[in-house]
Amino acid sequence: MKLSLWTYEGPPHVGAMRIATAMTDLHYVLHAPQGDTYADLLFTMIERRKHRPPVTYTTFQARDLGADTSQLFMDAARDAQARFKPAAMIVGASCTGELIQDDPGGLSRTLGLPIPVIPLELPSYSKKENWGASETFYQVVRALAPQGAERMQAKDAGPSCNILGPTALGFRHRDDVTEIVGLLEKIGVTVNVVAPLDASVHDILALRQADFNVLLYPEIALTAAQWLKRTFGQPFTRKIPIGVSATRDFVREVLDVAGIEDADPIDQIESRLPWYSRSIDSTYLTGKRVFLFGDASHVIAMARVAKTEMGFEIVGMGSYSREFARDMREAAAAYGLEALITEDYLEVEEQIRSLQPELVLGTQMERHISKRLGIPCAVISAPVHVQDYPARYSPFMGFEGANVLFDTLVHPLTMGLEEHLLNMFRDDFEFNDEAGPSHLGHASNNERQKSLEKLQHGEPTQGQNGEGKIEWQPDAERELKKIPFFVRGKARRNTEKFAAELGLAEISMETLYEAKSHFSR
Amino acid sequence: MSLTREEIRVPEFKGCRQRPVLRQRGQHEVFCGLTGIMWLHRKIQDAFFLIVGSRTCAHLMQSAAGVMIFAEPRFGTAILEEKDLAGLADMNDELDVVVERLLERRPEIRLLFLVGSCPSEVIKLDLSRAAHRLSKIHSPGVRILNYSGSGIETTFTQGEDACLASLVPNLPPEPEGAPASLMVVGALSDVVEDQFARIFEQLGIGPVRFLPARLADDMPAVGENTVFILAQPFLSDTARALEAAGARMLPAPFPLGANGTTEWFRVAAEAFGVEPSLFDTVTQAPRMRAQRAVENHRKRLEGCSIFFFPDSQLEIPLARFLHQELGMIPSEIGTPYLNTKFMAPELDALPQNVVVSEGQDVDVQLDRCLSERPDIAVCGLGLANPLEVKGITTKWSIELVFTPIQGYEQAGDLAELFARPLNRRTRLEV
């Protein structure tokens, strides 16, 4: 039993819903009690989908438990097939359905439905949403793909691939797919099938016709890609095209796998990110301290962008994707960091509080934590909120994605010149750091300042030993306030640490600047 | 003015209970009772709601709220894991540890609800015994109660009913020789509660107490001298529990709209022997205000047809208000559960040809809605956008639970909630 106040991932059957909802003619019959239908609103409200997810819930009640819940399941499956006429069906149980052990797979076999029925075993008490999506996609592919026709490709056709992994309720999947399809076509690769997003059952049958697979979202499609490789000898790509360099790596990998000799096209594709990042206005971005948290793929990719394409400094990173903890740890180690692997947002909050980054790249929860702590934040990963489905075209992947990333990462920060002016005229009554960046409006500045004070004063720092609390002399305290607010906490901490090391009981203005020189490298 | 038990006039429930009801059985597109925690944890400010359930329960709570939590919330889920189910860990020991840690972390908590879920009910985890055991450990600082909000037993607002019913046996007894008192039952927003308290005071009715109170130690006393009036329609079990504790129930329509609110107050006033002239003096001004505010929306809503999907059990009183005070035409009124006794006065105010349906078979009901093409459909969040796409204007029913809609001063707001989607339709030219 584990206490949870908020979770990064839903249960595994929600993962299965993301696959069914992504596809055009797959129906999901879910043995579940009343209330589990809440999951529909994730799709209709958050993602603003125009149709209800193709899911039939058996809605068993307490009074059914003594009677025949399996009959209820069979009726629901038969009715769903008759009403919705899907090309295939997945069947399974939610957490409560799992407990009553009705075996939806076995029951639906006895129905003799005229379509393929794929049973799902998604252990609700040990697995989570992404795992459920991955397992479901794998089971769907495994059940349907071998029935596909033999490969029939025209001899003169160029290399072709499938794109694997985009789902319903994915973070920017819709636009990522558009971007990557365009990119692949530009370099001479035909896209055979995109799955599961907007794929039909027939498309799944046709997966085997491609030369190789592009694995866009490993959390969802790694298992399926591995199976396709084993079964049909289709290799798959591992580079995730987020950021300019990673997109170039991705293109090189695709060219290599596709056997395209001509390495030319890659240089003709431009992104604005490199120039924007080099333009002098961006100097102020240098060394901004960044903390990242989210699914493993997005965090690993975004860390590279943050460090090598924006010039930030990574001070901490982590993920809730336990299945990819190893990759995450390796990536963090490359930055000399230890990855935070947790599903507990309070731990993430604690780490952000103690690291005091200047920018947080995270999920909706980190956006929330950052708001509370007064730290700028951009969302780079699921879990998603309604605002993560912008009306405009806004991919995270590919070269256009890199442009979007530049804007996404810069927007929450104070702009370059504005930052200088803030530093020069610290005591200006309206143009000061407490007024917040002008382009972000004036909302919640007080709250922001209050949380900031909490952040700066609330936590005991390492410099303070048990008995001796170090006093700040008033002039030193005043001087400290002249330091820009986003580094003030760090300056306070460092100065106190420095004073403690010297065994000082008081911090004077002198100590403050001694410490500054001591820590500057 | 204090009255004795004998001086309080408690009328019989009246109204016709013979009306055909369409009973449906199939997929329910309705929340389970756990969602009541969403407003109950804001209402009782020193209570914590600990769901004993699965990751689904936790996910439901955060998704249904539709918002991120602004501080450490006063609800959470003790998520059952494989080792609990396999018997490798003793669930009661595990629960004790979770509760212990929780109370250590939140020392301000005075009342802890262990809330049963579908999985905890199916594995027959006895939460009442757990509550009893934990109460012994943590009393007197913290009281620990239990109820079920599981989807196999409760629909949406029935969670509040189960919660309040669990409070009743633990309410303090009336002191010996206490005067007759009025208890208003059902969670109301604080602003509505304060307005009601002021009107009761002007009417000279008192003492008046509210269930639930805002703090655990302020819960009202109950006994033979208590009469109670429901402010929410979904409180069947709570009413039964109060009656079992000796209290008497006043049959009344629900305080929605100018008429509903007036009739609701009138029942209490007559029971407490308030002079009709005083009643008119006190209620006239707010009543006129409410009527004016409602009237502002008549032009938009009069003659419009309305279809209710089942959700909160507020559907029938809402339909009565919209029909009586705004001239709307209800076509189907769905409710998850129909209490014919409580609803009789409300149903009597509705035209005979209205279809009243109980329960749900969502696909079939959607067919009915699409073939009737009402001017506005009241439905849950999962159905709203798909209906809008098909050209049907919708009103999210959950807003009717989360918004202050009861009483005189909110009558206009309530009408506006229905007028706004129609208004929006006429504004958009894209």
Side-chain angles (χ1 to χ4, degrees):
Chain A
M1 213 176 266
K2 194 172 180 340
L3 178 65
S4 165
L5 300 171
W6 189 87
T7 96
Y8 284 95
E9 288 184 76
H13 72 261
V14 168
M17 285 182 72
R18 290 175 57 188
I19 304 299
T21 308
M23 290 181 60
T24 57
D25 52 5
L26 182 70
H27 198 87
Y28 187 11
V29 180
L30 185 63
H31 208 17
Q34 160 176 270
D36 284 3
T37 49
Y38 80 87
D40 284 2
L41 76 87
L42 302 171
F43 299 90
T44 64
M45 295 299 287
I46 295 179
E47 200 178 4
R48 297 182 215 251
R49 280 192 170 256
K50 294 184 174 178
H51 304 286
R52 289 167 60 215
V55 183
T56 295
Y57 305 78
T58 57
T59 316
F60 55 82
Q61 297 176 331
R63 62 165 188 255
D64 301 317
L65 291 178
D68 200 355
T69 47
S70 47
Q71 188 59 45
L72 206 61
F73 176 84
M74 291 199 284
D75 293 346
R78 200 184 295 112
D79 291 353
Q81 194 276 325
R83 175 177 276 268
F84 298 104
K85 304 211 164 29
M89 207 183 248
I90 50 178
V91 297
S94 76
C95 53
T96 311
E98 186 181 332
L99 293 174
I100 59 176
Q101 300 183 325
D102 273 341
D103 183 22
L107 291 173
S108 33
R109 262 195 305 278
T110 66
L111 288 175
L113 296 174
I115 50 167
V117 178
I118 304 155
L120 299 174
E121 299 282 343
L122 307 176
S124 303
Y125 298 91
S126 54
K127 301 293 187 186
K128 290 178 288 172
E129 178 179 336
N130 277 341
W131 185 90
S134 169
E135 173 69 9
T136 303
F137 185 50
Y138 163 63
Q139 292 297 345
V140 167
V141 169
R142 210 179 74 146
L144 298 175
Q147 305 168 10
E150 280 310 300
R151 201 168 155 187
M152 302 237 304
Q153 206 185 17
K155 283 213 173 71
D156 56 346
S160 73
C161 71
N162 305 309
I163 293 180
L164 303 182
T167 63
L169 211 67
F171 180 73
R172 304 291 168 90
H173 289 191
R174 174 196 73 190
D175 296 343
D176 283 350
V177 166
T178 309
E179 186 63 19
I180 297 306
V181 167
L183 180 62
L184 289 166
E185 280 168 0
K186 232 175 246 173
I187 59 175
V189 176
T190 308
V191 175
N192 175 47
V193 166
V194 177
L197 191 62
D198 296 328
S200 65
V201 164
H202 187 265
D203 289 334
I204 302 293
L205 308 184
L207 279 175
R208 62 192 297 178
Q209 295 180 19
D211 296 311
F212 65 99
N213 289 310
V214 166
L215 175 63
L216 274 197
Y217 305 101
E219 277 84 353
I220 311 292
L222 177 61
T223 313
Q226 285 168 335
W227 184 84
L228 287 166
K229 185 178 176 186
R230 280 199 305 274
T231 311
F232 303 123
Q234 290 171 326
F236 61 92
T237 60
R238 291 309 303 260
K239 301 274 188 262
I240 307 300
I242 294 181
V244 175
S245 309
T247 302
R248 290 203 173 118
D249 291 350
F250 168 79
V251 171
R252 267 182 227 111
E253 189 184 17
V254 168
L255 292 174
D256 188 41
V257 175
I260 299 173
E261 305 271 304
D262 174 19
D264 226 22
I266 182 174
D267 302 323
Q268 292 161 21
I269 308 169
E270 270 191 30
S271 164
R272 292 187 194 97
L273 185 145
W275 166 237
Y276 270 49
S277 227
R278 279 167 199 279
S279 72
I280 55 161
D281 183 76
S282 299
T283 313
Y284 77 99
L285 300 173
T286 314
K288 289 253 184 229
R289 306 169 72 253
V290 179
F291 176 84
L292 302 99
F293 196 85
D295 70 33
S297 303
H298 278 87
V299 167
I300 293 169
M302 287 304 298
R304 180 178 181 192
V305 174
K307 185 165 172 77
T308 66
E309 301 183 14
M310 303 298 286
F312 295 153
E313 186 193 336
I314 316 287
V315 294
M317 59 199 281
S319 175
Y320 57 81
S321 316
R322 285 204 183 270
E323 295 87 353
F324 290 79
R326 222 173 88 187
D327 300 341
M328 191 66 218
R329 290 203 176 94
E330 273 171 23
Y335 301 106
L337 299 168
E338 195 180 326
L340 173 66
I341 309 291
T342 182
E343 292 110 58
D344 182 353
Y345 78 92
L346 293 172
E347 264 184 65
V348 179
E349 174 159 355
E350 196 42 50
Q351 185 151 127
I352 294 175
R353 206 185 274 276
S354 71
L355 288 171
Q356 301 189 0
E358 292 161 77
L359 177 66
V360 170
L361 304 178
T363 72
Q364 278 302 325
M365 181 42 88
E366 284 66 44
R367 187 183 68 90
H368 202 71
I369 291 170
S370 304
K371 198 166 150 196
R372 218 152 48 214
L373 298 176
I375 301 172
C377 176
V379 173
I380 55 137
S381 161
V384 286
H385 203 42
V386 65
Q387 68 213 43
D388 298 314
Y389 295 92
R392 66 180 186 277
Y393 179 57
S394 150
F396 253 46
M397 292 185 170
F399 292 112
E400 181 57 28
N403 298 338
V404 170
L405 289 184
F406 183 87
D407 294 346
T408 305
L409 269 49
V410 164
H411 180 84
L413 298 168
T414 310
M415 305 291 232
L417 271 180
E418 193 171 43
E419 184 173 303
H420 289 303
L421 286 170
L422 284 175
N423 290 340
M424 284 171 71
F425 304 112
R426 195 131 289 281
D427 295 328
D428 185 317
F429 73 96
E430 57 183 5
F431 196 80
N432 61 46
D433 51 21
E434 293 184 20
S438 59
H439 66 293
L440 294 184
H442 297 283
S444 75
N445 281 329
N446 281 336
E447 189 191 340
R448 174 186 159 142
Q449 193 55 32
K450 261 184 260 150
S451 12
L452 202 66
E453 306 265 319
K454 218 162 86 189
L455 177 77
Q456 288 158 353
H457 306 302
E459 297 300 310
T461 54
Q462 292 170 328
Q464 295 166 334
N465 52 37
E467 73 264 20
K469 191 178 180 308
I470 301 165
E471 292 288 326
W472 283 74
Q473 289 177 0
D475 59 339
E477 186 84 46
R478 269 196 302 277
E479 199 71 7
L480 180 71
K481 289 202 174 124
K482 296 178 188 170
I483 295 170
F485 69 94
F486 36 82
V487 288
R488 203 180 297 150
K490 187 179 165 194
R492 174 182 287 277
R493 199 175 42 176
N494 282 347
T495 309
E496 288 175 353
K497 191 170 159 196
F498 177 73
E501 277 167 12
L502 292 185
L504 299 176
E506 272 196 339
I507 292 168
S508 64
M509 205 193 296
E510 197 76 357
T511 324
L512 176 66
Y513 284 113
E514 285 287 336
K516 182 171 189 283
S517 114
H518 175 78
F519 284 104
S520 73
R521 265 165 275 155
Chain B
M1 175 179 71
S2 72
L3 300 173
T4 62
R5 176 183 162 83
E6 287 67 34
E7 286 171 295
I8 302 292
R9 279 162 289 178
V10 176
E12 288 292 301
F13 271 88
K14 284 199 217 70
C16 168
R17 292 182 206 169
Q18 306 301 316
R19 182 191 266 272
V21 173
L22 175 62
R23 294 212 158 73
Q24 310 170 99
R25 177 78 180 88
Q27 176 173 330
H28 286 203
E29 192 83 17
V30 193
F31 289 145
C32 64
L34 294 180
T35 28
I37 294 171
M38 226 56 89
W39 61 90
L40 287 168
H41 91 280
R42 306 305 320 163
K43 184 72 204 176
I44 312 174
Q45 294 167 11
D46 52 1
F48 193 101
F49 293 79
L50 181 64
I51 300 165
V52 181
S54 65
R55 179 169 297 281
T56 314
C57 307
H59 196 238
L60 154 86
M61 289 300 289
Q62 71 195 47
S63 311
V67 286
M68 304 293 290
I69 41 191
F70 282 86
E72 231 184 286
R74 287 197 319 282
F75 62 83
T77 310
I79 296 184
L80 296 166
E81 292 170 304
E82 216 151 41
K83 64 177 196 310
D84 301 309
L85 300 171
L88 297 175
D90 183 283
M91 271 184 275
N92 286 306
D93 293 348
E94 295 268 306
L95 184 59
D96 290 1
V97 173
V98 167
V99 168
E100 173 126 14
R101 275 201 209 123
L102 178 71
L103 293 176
E104 243 166 52
R105 201 185 160 86
R106 306 297 296 270
E108 76 283 13
I109 298 303
R110 310 278 291 128
L111 177 59
L112 174 68
F113 288 100
L114 303 178
V115 188
S117 64
C118 299
S120 81
E121 297 293 323
V122 167
I123 62 171
K124 301 199 176 356
L125 181 58
D126 190 343
L127 289 181
S128 74
R129 262 176 59 194
H132 195 69
R133 183 182 66 239
L134 284 160
S135 268
K136 275 194 200 149
I137 301 172
H138 297 283
S139 75
V142 188
R143 208 143 28 103
I144 297 167
L145 302 178
N146 76 290
Y147 72 90
S148 171
S150 83
I152 56 176
E153 290 159 314
T154 59
T155 303
F156 196 27
T157 47
Q158 283 176 322
E160 176 176 330
D161 189 22
C163 172
L164 299 190
S166 80
L167 276 172
V168 173
N170 294 279
L171 294 177
E174 280 171 345
E176 201 68 30
S181 66
L182 178 66
M183 189 195 289
V184 178
V185 184
L188 292 168
S189 64
D190 294 347
V191 61
V192 173
E193 199 176 294
D194 294 343
Q195 287 168 12
F196 282 4
R198 277 198 299 274
I199 292 178
F200 282 125
E201 200 186 329
Q202 288 163 5
L203 291 171
I205 297 176
V208 177
R209 303 294 307 276
F210 291 84
L211 182 73
R214 295 175 204 186
L215 293 173
D217 290 339
D218 282 350
M219 293 297 166
V222 68
E224 299 218 317
N225 298 311
T226 307
V227 291
F228 67 94
I229 187 164
L230 297 184
Q232 299 281 11
F234 41 74
L235 298 171
S236 311
D237 288 353
T238 308
R240 253 196 304 281
L242 286 166
E243 283 175 337
R248 290 177 294 165
M249 177 173 176
L250 296 176
F254 293 92
L256 299 171
N259 289 356
T261 305
T262 303
E263 293 315 306
W264 187 79
F265 274 115
R266 194 192 305 280
V267 169
E270 284 175 355
F272 278 77
V274 175
E275 286 298 324
S277 61
L278 175 64
F279 182 81
D280 289 342
T281 316
V282 169
T283 54
Q284 195 186 12
R287 186 182 183 175
M288 299 296 282
R289 268 202 304 275
Q291 281 169 350
R292 266 199 311 276
V294 168
E295 203 54 32
N296 288 336
H297 301 286
R298 176 176 282 277
K299 219 174 108 195
R300 177 82 63 194
L301 294 172
E302 190 166 28
C304 287
S305 61
I306 185 161
F307 188 109
F308 286 89
F309 284 85
D311 197 57
S312 62
Q313 293 188 47
L314 280 162
E315 295 80 10
I316 292 170
L318 283 171
R320 182 261 303 153
F321 159 69
L322 294 169
H323 177 66
Q324 241 182 13
E325 299 184 36
L326 285 149
M328 291 187 80
I329 304 161
S331 62
E332 174 168 339
I333 309 172
T335 178
Y337 170 72
L338 179 64
N339 184 324
T340 44
K341 182 175 150 192
F342 293 1
M343 286 302 159
E346 299 280 359
L347 286 170
D348 282 352
L350 285 164
Q352 258 316 306
N353 61 352
V354 178
V355 175
V356 175
S357 61
E358 183 187 27
Q360 191 173 38
D361 184 348
V362 71
D363 290 313
V364 179
Q365 194 171 29
L366 278 167
D367 289 348
R368 284 201 300 275
C369 179
L370 288 169
S371 85
E372 275 173 39
R373 301 204 69 80
D375 293 307
I376 187 164
V378 184
C379 63
L381 297 172
L383 300 178
N385 272 333
L387 281 169
E388 291 277 352
V389 169
K390 296 195 165 145
I392 306 239
T393 303
T394 61
K395 166 83 238 114
W396 314 346
S397 47
I398 197 162
E399 212 176 342
L400 299 161
V401 178
F402 284 174
T403 315
I405 56 168
Q406 294 83 2
Y408 288 124
E409 315 303 343
Q410 285 66 238
D413 303 342
L414 177 56
E416 203 270 341
L417 284 177
F418 293 90
R420 195 185 309 163
L422 293 166
N423 177 353
R424 184 162 185 76
R425 278 266 159 144
T426 62
R427 283 168 185 256
L428 299 181
E429 291 176 13
V430 292

